[in-house]
Amino acid sequence: NAGVTQTPKFRILKIGQSMTLQCTQDMNHNYMYWYRQDPGMGLKLIYYSVGAGITDKGEVPNGYNVSRSTTEDFPLRLELAAPSQTSVYFCASSDQLGTTNEQFFGPGTRLTVL
Amino acid sequence: GNSVTQMEGPVTLSEEAFLTINCTYTATGYPSLFWYVQYPGEGLQLLLKATKADDKGSNKGFEATYRKETTSFHLEKGSVQVSDSAVYFCALIPSDYKLSFGAGTTVTVRA
């Protein structure tokens, strides 16, 4: 199993540009998550999904959109990039939504908006 | 709301030293508690977890005990190695299932 994979690893955007961060998991997990990690801060939840076709907002959803058309894929879309979106983005998945369930993380995408 | 507060770093130690990283939390209900580790250039990996009060999680020589009375989940290792150099995150999953992370503690172990 590859686990959770993310592309690209690095990206530089200009203000106002758009892009999609890709996330794929091969563990047949129903639950998937997007987080951002800012320097000196913990991870903050952007969006999450409990299954194909179902998504919901997390703590910091503004400026982002998501879709979940398949179990495997959970792309994150930035429509109008802003410097405040410079961060490291992590995708994660879990097989259940219970309080005891481990989330598996991808290697991250480092995004810089100039 | 739910929150996690962990010891600020960076922490620099010599090999074979004792490591403690403090973590306290605020949550409603009965959350599960986790320690995740992030090695340089990699994503987060689960290090250990505890799902109820007085549980002790352990892995790779690291231990943490879920203390409900002090709302704490401190991470300890008796003898660190250079390979333990990483960023360590304390986290909780409360009843709404949304994982909350602490800010992370960078640990550097020197040979």
Side-chain angles (χ1 to χ4, degrees):
Chain A
N1 283 352
V4 180
T5 56
Q6 293 181 237
T7 57
K9 284 188 170 25
F10 304 94
R11 184 72 184 269
I12 298 174
L13 285 181
K14 294 183 179 177
I15 293 172
Q17 287 186 318
S18 62
M19 77 164 293
T20 300
L21 283 66
Q22 301 291 346
C23 174
T24 300
Q25 53 91 9
D26 63 359
M27 296 174 282
N28 202 32
H29 286 170
N30 284 325
Y31 304 95
M32 297 187 74
Y33 315 82
W34 274 106
Y35 295 90
R36 57 178 289 171
Q37 181 186 25
D38 298 322
M41 308 284 285
L43 279 71
K44 293 191 183 298
L45 182 65
I46 305 172
Y47 271 96
Y48 67 103
S49 170
V50 301
I54 307 170
T55 63
D56 204 353
K57 295 177 181 178
E59 190 180 353
V60 289
N62 292 344
Y64 307 95
N65 279 301
V66 293
S67 59
R68 184 96 181 271
S69 56
T70 66
T71 299
E72 295 77 20
D73 300 308
F74 190 40
L76 177 72
R77 178 90 178 153
L78 282 72
E79 291 293 350
L80 290 170
S84 61
Q85 294 177 306
T86 294
S87 189
V88 180
Y89 292 84
F90 289 100
C91 180
S93 72
S94 65
D95 63 352
Q96 295 182 44
L97 198 60
T99 59
T100 63
N101 293 104
E102 174 185 358
Q103 292 185 17
F104 295 82
F105 285 81
T109 294
R110 185 175 294 276
L111 175 67
T112 303
V113 182
L114 301 174
Chain B
N2 303 307
S3 66
V4 176
T5 302
Q6 65 180 98
M7 186 173 96
E8 287 188 21
V11 174
T12 302
L13 302 165
S14 297
E15 254 188 333
E16 300 183 4
F18 184 86
L19 171 67
T20 298
I21 304 176
N22 289 340
C23 170
T24 57
Y25 68 90
T26 302
T28 54
Y30 302 96
S32 292
L33 302 173
F34 301 78
W35 278 100
Y36 279 83
V37 59
Q38 185 179 27
Y39 298 106
E42 298 184 12
L44 280 73
Q45 303 173 24
L46 180 67
L47 181 59
L48 54 83
K49 70 178 184 182
T51 59
K52 60 183 188 296
D54 299 326
D55 266 2
K56 178 186 282 189
S58 60
N59 186 26
K60 298 182 180 181
F62 289 89
E63 293 184 341
T65 302
Y66 188 161
R67 302 283 188 204
K68 195 167 180 1
E69 64 276 12
T70 54
T71 61
S72 65
F73 192 55
H74 305 321
L75 183 69
E76 297 181 337
K77 185 172 185 181
S79 177
V80 294
Q81 305 300 313
V82 172
S83 57
D84 294 324
S85 298
V87 183
Y88 293 83
F89 292 91
C90 186
L92 66 84
I93 298 182
S95 54
D96 67 0
Y97 310 127
K98 295 176 184 175
L99 196 60
S100 290
F101 282 87
T105 302
T106 300
V107 173
T108 301
V109 180
R110 299 195 189 281

